Amino acid sequence: VNSNQSYTLQVSFCDLLPDIAAGESLYIGAKTVAWGGIVCLNDTDINQALLATGPYLGGSAELHYGLTIGYVETNNGLADVPSGWTSRVFWDNMQVPIIEE
């Protein structure tokens, strides 16, 4: 987070399988960025979810934050992608959980 409450994020596609290719760009929040590019995010790109953890009266709640990320991968090979293939997202070298809608 920088001084004007925005976030800078660099994105890259890691060619983990030789026949899997990335689309031209990806969507992060309300922004579109090319693979290898840099995008600046602000509070309008961040999703918020209020999760109640106890009774509403006198209970507690947690506010969770997240990003919507969309991209395309194409299998250019003849063989199917191996069973169990999953995409992973890393932020500051830490894998983050993916919640698929």
Side-chain angles (χ1 to χ4, degrees):
V1 178
N2 58 31
S3 60
N4 63 355
Q5 297 299 310
S6 65
Y7 306 82
T8 301
L9 179 66
Q10 183 169 9
V11 296
S12 60
F13 182 80
C14 303
D15 299 309
L16 301 176
L17 293 176
D19 294 336
I20 303 297
E24 291 183 19
S25 59
L26 68 152
Y27 306 94
I28 302 175
K31 308 286 192 314
T32 302
V33 61
W35 288 105
I38 296 175
V39 63
C40 291
L41 305 174
N42 57 41
D43 59 350
T44 61
D45 297 303
I46 307 297
N47 302 324
Q48 295 182 11
L50 181 63
L51 302 177
T53 59
Y56 289 107
L57 296 174
S60 61
E62 295 179 6
L63 187 59
H64 287 237
Y65 297 91
L67 289 169
T68 299
I69 300 174
Y71 57 92
V72 173
E73 293 174 329
T74 304
N75 182 355
N76 293 323
L78 298 176
D80 290 338
V81 174
S83 175
W85 169 260
T86 59
S87 296
R88 294 182 302 259
V89 174
F90 291 84
W91 183 291
D92 289 338
N93 294 321
M94 294 186 64
Q95 187 173 347
V96 295
I98 297 176
I99 301 170
E100 296 185 24
E101 295 179 2

